[in-house]
Amino acid sequence: MRHILLATSIALVWVVPAGAQNDTTNQSIDQLLGDHTKYEALINALQKAVAAHDAAGVAELVSYPIGVSVNGKETHIRSAKAFVKNYDGIFTPSITKAVTDQKYEDLFVNYKGIMFDDGQVWINGICHDNACKEFDAKIVAIQDVP
C-alpha cells in the first residue's frame, strides 16, 4: 500500500488511496467483529434493498426481535412479516438517507458493531456458538437520530 505525503503551506496531509480506505475498514471489522466479508455483504445488500424500497429484502437482514420506533411509537418487532408491514414507519426518510448515502470506507466500527451515519443503523454479529466462530451479520438497531 502506498501513502502519499503532500506538503502544503498550512500543514502536512496524508492522502490514502481509495482502495486503502476500504482495507482499513476491513481490517477494523476483522479485528473487532470478525470476518469482514460477512459484514460487507450485509451492508451491500442493505443499501441495495433500501434504495429499491424492498421491505422484504431489508427484513431478511434484521435480527429479531428488534426494538424500533414505528411512526414515533416505540415497539418490538418480532418477525420479518411484522417488519415488512411496518417498514414505512420504521425506515423514515432520514434513516433511508443515512443508509443509502453511507460510504463503506467511512463506516464507524467499534466492539459494539458497525454504525451508519450518526447511529441510525447498527450492524453486529449474531453468534451461533459460545466461541462465536460461527455468526451471521445482522441489523441489531434502527433508530431515528435527531
Side-chain angles (χ1 to χ4, degrees):
M1 175 176 7
R2 193 176 122 192
H3 297 272
I4 303 163
L5 179 64
L6 297 177
T8 68
S9 60
I10 299 171
L12 295 177
V13 179
W14 283 100
V15 177
V16 180
Q21 292 171 336
N22 282 355
D23 290 346
T24 301
T25 301
N26 290 340
Q27 288 171 353
S28 295
I29 294 169
D30 286 338
Q31 290 172 355
L32 294 168
L33 304 171
D35 182 5
H36 75 269
T37 61
K38 291 184 179 189
Y39 293 98
E40 189 172 18
L42 180 124
I43 291 162
N44 289 334
L46 174 62
Q47 289 183 309
K48 182 178 178 181
V50 170
H53 197 76
D54 177 4
V58 175
E60 291 177 18
L61 307 174
V62 174
S63 177
Y64 298 100
I66 188 168
V68 296
S69 177
V70 178
N71 298 318
K73 182 180 176 192
E74 297 299 319
T75 190
H76 281 74
I77 300 292
R78 302 197 184 286
S79 68
K81 183 178 178 180
F83 188 93
V84 169
K85 179 181 174 188
N86 292 286
Y87 181 83
D88 289 327
I90 298 167
F91 265 78
T92 63
S94 65
I95 293 173
T96 297
K97 182 173 177 22
V99 170
T100 57
D101 288 357
Q102 180 67 56
K103 292 187 180 352
Y104 185 80
E105 63 271 12
D106 294 335
L107 287 164
F108 174 80
V109 181
N110 71 12
Y111 72 95
K112 293 181 180 181
I114 300 169
M115 180 180 83
F116 279 71
D117 197 27
D118 290 326
Q120 288 87 340
V121 175
W122 280 86
I123 295 170
N124 207 335
I126 305 301
C127 299
H128 295 293
D129 57 53
N130 288 338
C132 205
K133 292 197 183 276
E134 294 294 323
F135 71 91
D136 290 323
K138 292 286 187 178
I139 298 167
V140 296
I142 303 167
Q143 57 197 358
D144 240 335
V145 177

